[in-house]
Amino acid sequence: MYLIPPNDSWAIKFAKFVDRFGTLKISILFVIFTLLFTLIGSYIVRTSLGSQIETVDFISPLVLTLLSAPWLLYFFSKLIKQLEHSRINLEEAVSQLERLRKHDVILNRELQNNIRQLNHEIEQRRNAQLERELVFEELEREIKEKSEQEMQARRLSTLTRSIIDASPDLIYYRNEEGRFAGCNRVAEEVTGKTEAELLGLTPHQVYDEQLARQVAASDHEVLETNASLTEELWLQYADGRRRYFEMRKVPFFDQDGHRLGLLAFGRDMTDRKQAESAIAQASKDKTKFIATISHELRTPLNGIVGLSRMLRDTQLTKEQFDWVSTIYASSITLGNIFNDIVDLDKLDRDKVEIDLKTVNMREFTNEISSIVSLLAQEKNLRFKSEIIEPIPIAIEADGTRLRQVLWNLLFNAIKFTQKGEVKLTVEAVDQGAGNAKVTFRITDTGVGIPTGELDKIFAMYYQVDHPDHKSATGTGIGLAICKQMVDKMGGEILLHSVVGQGTCFEIVLPVAISQKQAKLVELQVSNLNILLVEDIELNVLVAKALLEKLGQRVDVAMTGTAAIEMARKTEYDLILLDIQLPDMTGFDVAKVLHDEELVLQTPIVALTANVIKKREEYLQNGMDDIITKPIKKSRVIDVFNELFGAQQMHDERCLTSEVVSIPKVDKTLDVDMLQMLVETIGEDMVRTSLGMFKEKIPEYMELLNVSLAANEKAEVCSQAHKIKGAAGSVGLLRVLQIANRIQEGEHPAWWENVHDWVAELEMAIEKDVDHLLEWVNENKIDD
């Protein structure tokens, strides 16, 4: 470090003083001061020496001073200036050195920082090197593990491929473009191509056109919805074999969620399909057998029930009356046992229907009681029937099913009661809002049921294994059917029994109280001109006698051909049509009658012993109602009253006759709706609607036929729905009904019948539109 002279030293102050006041001024002052100093000095020296002071003594010092002082002053001024410049330069040098020192300090600090940073980087690089070495070691380990994993993956891939190829299922993969991207051995066998040959091909390049369209359509649906799909289809192997496959297709995604295509798995279900077909065929055979037996058994049973019932109404001795009553009750028993067998088949096929109708409670109870009392008399048992008031006059219930349940329970009560009585009690509890809970209680004093058997008594084919029950046996299906019937009616069946004391069954049904007036037992129409179509003479005898006794006129046709010819010649008020005829079925007869428009205003009622079919099946085949065999008087009265109404019209128009006026029913037009349209929207709008229908219906029919030709079931149903709506808006009743049949695509025989229905629809449109125009003109709807 350099030392800087202090600024307050005398030399520096003098130099600054000289520099501040100027050299000239200082020189003059210095000369004056020197002269004074010389004079004073000389004076003092002379005085101190005691010499005489003279002027000359002062002149020489003055001269000497004047001669030497300038040079001395010049020398010193130069020296001072030089010193001042040196000082200034020195200060500048010192300042520069100080700056350099400070800069050096800064550089030193930076150098130290750099050294520290360098040391830190060296340490970091040393650590990084160690880390790299560790990474290399880890990488080597991972590479080794990856190699082992790849080896394992290859082994697993080989194993998986072997498993897939060994699988009996068909497996393939398609990419987003619908091209094959992989498959297994079964797929190669089916297509007749190796996996390498299949790669990049589309279904249209592998399958026949129809199958390719089906496969491509399901593939498209999977890719459109990103959802799995299951379909069943027949595939033909390269060697010509056809097998039935259940195909499961699922979208396939990578680990990032990007869809790659779809996977398809197909299982050969041919054996299952054949087994299902065999089971279905067996079921059909069983149903056909039961239907055949139903017809064959009910035909003679119809005669026994009908003739014994009519015989009881004649003059008989008490003994004869008892014999006839026994025949009548036995035939009813046989009929109900057979009903159980038929219902068992229906329950197996889930074909049992609950048909709610108005049931008169007292008449219903009395009807059952009258038959059961005959059975009780045969065993010398007492039978009591009690109605606990108050009960509704009429309820909405399936009288046929309820009668069957009660009959089974009452018949069992009589069968398992050796002495004492059997009692039927009916009571009801009003639950408000037009609803009630009706309880039918059947009690007996029979052998009873052991406690351990109570939970099993309603099982199918179960029979109590107890010594007290050996005297009475049965099929074991009655109670099981009762339980299922009651469940379908929304009720419950309760059981209480004590061995040796008796049994009590309770049937509790929630029902709606009928708001309609209870049906009258009396027939409300007479003198109908009826065509009875029946090929069995015994049935003809019973039915004709019953109808004539009810005040009707009856013509008989023994074949379908004869019935058609008679309908062509005579316009009947009603046709009772047996379904099984020697030359054709009743359905065929009904179709001809409808096609030739012979029954536009004539109801057709099916007479059938086949209770296997649903009621809707008869209605869809041209029937207006059905009467099952054996023919019951009550059922005939119900059907006649429903078809022709309770119109006892005794006015001036029927003064000459007591015949009830029979309203003609137009089966092609909804006349009530048309009259309502005229009254509400006016005559012009009715004509406008009809004109629009005539304009649009050809387009609808063309689309329907095109869709049917392309086997597009959904589109056919859609077009039929449009036609149905259009027909309903202009009152074309028959067109509406046929279109409704076509739109119900879930019908089991839809494909077998749809072409006939479409032809029938075209014919109905052609004829019924003209008929509607005639109706419009006859009712004077003018523009």
Side-chain angles (χ1 to χ4, degrees):
M1 181 179 292
Y2 296 97
L3 295 177
I4 302 174
N7 292 330
D8 56 353
S9 63
W10 67 270
I12 293 174
K13 290 181 179 179
F14 181 76
K16 289 181 179 180
F17 177 78
V18 172
D19 185 63
R20 183 182 306 116
F21 287 95
T23 305
L24 180 60
K25 294 179 180 180
I26 293 302
S27 297
I28 294 173
L29 289 174
F30 181 75
V31 171
I32 294 171
F33 175 75
T34 303
L35 287 176
L36 290 175
F37 179 75
T38 301
L39 291 175
I40 294 171
S42 296
Y43 177 77
I44 293 172
V45 170
R46 289 289 184 188
T47 302
S48 61
L49 291 178
S51 300
Q52 185 65 32
I53 299 172
E54 291 186 10
T55 303
V56 72
D57 294 329
F58 290 99
I59 294 172
S60 71
L62 287 173
V63 173
L64 290 172
T65 299
L66 290 173
L67 291 174
S68 61
W71 292 104
L72 182 61
L73 181 63
Y74 175 78
F75 173 76
F76 275 108
S77 64
K78 288 292 183 180
L79 179 62
I80 290 171
K81 285 184 178 180
Q82 187 66 36
L83 288 174
E84 180 65 17
H85 288 306
S86 297
R87 184 189 65 80
I88 292 173
N89 290 335
L90 181 60
E91 285 184 354
E92 290 178 356
V94 170
S95 298
Q96 183 69 23
L97 288 175
E98 183 65 21
R99 286 196 298 272
L100 291 174
R101 185 188 66 80
K102 291 180 179 179
H103 182 66
D104 185 60
V105 170
I106 293 172
L107 290 177
N108 186 46
R109 289 176 182 173
E110 290 179 355
L111 180 60
Q112 291 177 354
N113 289 335
N114 291 337
I115 292 172
R116 285 195 296 271
Q117 182 68 24
L118 181 59
N119 292 334
H120 178 69
E121 290 180 359
I122 291 172
E123 185 66 24
Q124 284 184 331
R125 290 183 181 183
R126 184 182 298 110
N127 294 335
Q129 180 65 25
L130 293 176
E131 289 179 358
R132 279 197 296 272
E133 292 176 0
L134 292 176
V135 169
F136 287 145
E137 292 177 1
E138 183 68 23
L139 184 59
E140 289 177 357
R141 185 167 57 255
E142 289 182 359
I143 291 173
K144 184 177 180 181
E145 291 178 355
K146 289 287 186 182
S147 299
E148 293 177 355
Q149 290 176 358
E150 288 178 1
M151 291 293 294
Q152 183 67 15
R154 282 196 291 271
R155 287 194 294 268
L156 289 175
S157 176
T158 303
L159 177 60
T160 303
R161 181 68 189 187
S162 300
I163 293 173
I164 292 175
D165 283 338
S167 171
D169 294 340
L170 182 152
I171 303 173
Y172 65 79
Y173 163 68
R174 287 202 187 97
N175 59 22
E176 287 281 271
E177 290 74 31
R179 299 181 181 276
F180 283 94
C183 68
N184 70 339
R185 179 181 53 79
V186 176
E188 292 178 340
E189 292 177 358
V190 171
T191 60
K193 298 178 183 295
T194 65
E195 182 180 20
E197 293 173 338
L198 278 174
L199 294 179
L201 298 181
T202 66
H204 294 277
Q205 295 171 307
V206 177
Y207 304 123
D208 61 73
E209 189 58 30
Q210 181 177 357
L211 178 59
R213 284 200 304 268
Q214 183 178 354
V215 170
S218 60
D219 287 356
H220 179 73
E221 183 176 349
V222 171
L223 297 177
E224 279 290 314
T225 61
N226 272 340
S228 60
L229 177 146
T230 301
E231 64 176 344
E232 297 179 353
L233 68 163
W234 286 95
L235 295 180
Q236 185 171 359
Y237 278 71
D239 58 7
R241 289 179 297 144
R242 286 178 58 82
R243 305 293 289 177
Y244 190 77
F245 279 84
E246 180 183 70
M247 300 297 300
R248 178 74 171 175
K249 298 182 178 181
V250 296
F252 179 60
F253 300 89
D254 62 15
Q255 60 184 4
D256 298 324
H258 299 123
R259 192 177 64 199
L260 302 177
L262 63 85
L263 285 170
F265 308 88
R267 175 152 295 181
D268 189 342
M269 309 298 289
T270 309
D271 294 338
R272 190 195 72 176
K273 184 69 174 177
Q274 292 173 346
E276 289 177 350
S277 299
I279 292 172
Q281 186 60 43
S283 177
K284 289 181 181 179
D285 292 342
K286 181 188 71 171
T287 301
K288 184 177 180 181
F289 172 76
I290 292 176
T292 302
I293 293 298
S294 170
H295 185 269
E296 296 300 328
L297 288 183
R298 287 179 183 273
T299 296
L301 191 61
N302 182 36
I304 297 172
V305 173
L307 292 177
S308 61
R309 182 180 59 240
M310 289 189 293
L311 190 58
R312 289 177 70 228
D313 295 336
T314 62
Q315 294 294 328
L316 299 172
T317 65
K318 184 180 183 305
E319 185 178 28
Q320 290 173 333
F321 183 82
D322 291 341
W323 291 346
V324 172
S325 297
T326 300
I327 296 173
Y328 179 65
S330 298
S331 60
I332 293 294
T333 301
L334 180 60
N336 281 284
I337 291 173
F338 190 73
N339 284 339
D340 286 345
I341 298 173
V342 171
D343 283 335
L344 176 62
D345 176 71
K346 287 186 175 181
L347 287 168
D348 287 341
R349 296 182 294 117
D350 195 25
K351 294 289 186 178
V352 172
E353 296 176 309
I354 301 301
D355 185 17
L356 298 181
K357 291 187 178 180
T358 302
V359 176
N360 186 296
M361 290 289 290
R362 287 175 179 78
E363 292 177 359
F364 179 80
T365 305
N366 293 335
E367 178 188 352
I368 293 176
S369 299
S370 63
I371 300 175
V372 176
S373 62
L374 296 177
L375 297 176
Q377 289 174 12
E378 293 182 359
K379 295 187 65 174
N380 296 319
L381 299 174
R382 296 186 304 277
F383 176 75
K384 294 182 180 179
S385 176
E386 181 183 8
I387 297 177
I388 300 176
E389 297 291 350
I391 64 170
I393 297 175
I395 61 173
E396 295 295 328
D398 189 332
T400 301
R401 301 299 179 195
L402 181 57
R403 185 183 295 107
Q404 185 178 350
V405 171
L406 293 175
W407 170 258
N408 266 306
L409 296 177
L410 288 166
F411 182 73
N412 280 347
I414 292 174
K415 184 167 61 174
F416 291 101
T417 302
Q418 304 303 322
K419 60 180 180 178
E421 69 174 18
V422 174
K423 184 177 181 181
L424 170 63
T425 305
V426 182
E427 60 180 327
V429 177
D430 192 338
Q431 296 186 312
N435 296 315
K437 184 172 287 186
V438 179
T439 301
F440 297 89
R441 187 177 299 107
I442 295 114
T443 57
D444 64 57
T445 57
V447 296
I449 303 171
T451 303
E453 307 287 338
L454 293 178
D455 294 337
K456 308 173 186 177
I457 199 69
F458 293 108
M460 190 67 71
Y461 304 114
Y462 184 79
Q463 293 180 317
V464 175
D465 185 13
H466 193 273
D468 294 338
H469 292 259
K470 297 298 184 183
S471 59
T473 58
T475 62
I477 64 174
L479 290 179
I481 291 175
C482 288
K483 178 70 167 62
Q484 294 187 51
M485 291 294 185
V486 172
D487 288 343
K488 281 188 172 290
M489 289 188 284
E492 60 178 339
I493 183 167
L494 308 175
L495 169 61
H496 174 73
S497 183
V498 178
V499 175
Q501 296 182 19
T503 303
C504 175
F505 283 91
E506 285 189 359
I507 298 147
V508 183
L509 287 180
V511 297
I513 299 174
S514 178
Q515 302 301 319
K516 304 175 185 178
Q517 185 178 359
K519 291 183 180 179
L520 301 175
V521 176
E522 293 80 8
L523 182 62
Q524 301 171 29
V525 63
S526 61
N527 206 28
L528 293 174
N529 190 16
I530 298 174
L531 174 60
L532 173 63
V533 186
E534 173 64 66
D535 64 317
I536 299 175
E537 293 183 357
L538 177 59
N539 288 347
V540 172
L541 175 64
V542 173
K544 191 170 185 295
L546 175 61
L547 293 171
E548 289 178 344
K549 189 173 181 180
L550 292 174
Q552 318 301 334
R553 292 179 285 110
V554 181
D555 290 340
V556 177
M558 302 290 286
T559 64
T561 303
I564 295 170
E565 289 299 325
M566 295 175 70
R568 288 170 178 165
K569 296 176 181 178
T570 306
E571 183 178 353
Y572 289 97
D573 299 317
L574 174 66
I575 296 177
L576 297 177
L577 180 59
D578 186 25
I579 299 302
Q580 291 193 0
L581 296 170
D583 55 342
M584 63 178 71
T585 67
F587 296 140
D588 295 332
V589 175
K591 187 175 187 305
V592 173
L593 295 176
H594 281 292
D595 290 345
E596 296 187 10
E597 297 187 348
L598 300 175
V599 289
L600 290 179
Q601 298 178 342
T602 302
I604 301 177
V605 176
L607 289 177
T608 178
N610 182 2
V611 291
I612 301 299
K613 291 181 179 292
K614 287 187 175 183
R615 185 172 186 270
E616 283 72 13
E617 295 181 54
Y618 289 95
L619 301 183
Q620 289 174 358
N621 282 279
M623 309 298 175
D624 294 278
D625 212 329
I626 59 172
I627 296 176
T628 58
K629 300 175 183 178
I631 298 175
K632 295 181 180 179
K633 178 181 177 181
S634 59
R635 177 59 181 163
V636 172
I637 293 174
D638 287 345
V639 171
F640 281 24
N641 287 344
E642 287 179 2
L643 289 176
F644 299 101
Q647 299 184 12
Q648 297 287 352
M649 301 175 62
H650 298 285
D651 53 21
E652 293 80 7
R653 287 178 296 176
C654 55
L655 288 175
T656 59
S657 173
E658 295 182 358
V659 177
V660 177
S661 175
I662 303 168
K664 294 295 184 180
V665 180
D666 193 329
K667 293 186 177 182
T668 61
L669 304 180
D670 189 345
V671 176
D672 292 338
M673 195 274 285
L674 287 169
Q675 293 287 4
M676 181 271 294
L677 285 177
V678 173
E679 295 172 1
T680 54
I681 66 175
E683 302 171 357
D684 293 339
M685 284 302 298
V686 172
R687 276 194 188 278
T688 301
S689 299
L690 181 57
M692 186 175 296
F693 177 84
K694 291 180 66 177
E695 178 183 348
K696 290 292 184 182
I697 200 64
E699 177 185 346
Y700 291 162
M701 287 303 301
E702 181 180 359
L703 290 174
L704 187 147
N705 281 301
V706 170
S707 301
L708 183 60
N711 292 329
E712 295 288 344
K713 183 177 183 180
E715 190 62 28
V716 171
C717 294
S718 174
Q719 291 301 321
H721 180 73
K722 292 180 181 179
I723 294 172
K724 172 187 172 183
S729 67
V730 293
L732 290 172
L733 181 61
R734 181 166 63 168
V735 174
L736 180 148
Q737 292 171 343
I738 300 172
N740 184 60
R741 258 183 278 163
I742 298 173
Q743 80 162 5
E744 293 177 349
E746 299 303 320
H747 191 284
W750 191 86
W751 279 112
E752 290 82 353
N753 295 293
V754 66
H755 291 86
D756 294 336
W757 291 339
V758 171
E760 185 179 352
L761 178 64
E762 292 175 337
M763 181 275 296
I765 291 174
E766 181 181 353
K767 295 184 178 181
D768 293 358
V769 169
D770 293 337
H771 181 51
L772 177 57
L773 285 172
E774 293 175 1
W775 185 90
V776 169
N777 294 329
E778 288 174 1
N779 286 270
K780 299 180 180 179
I781 302 178
D782 301 324
D783 292 332

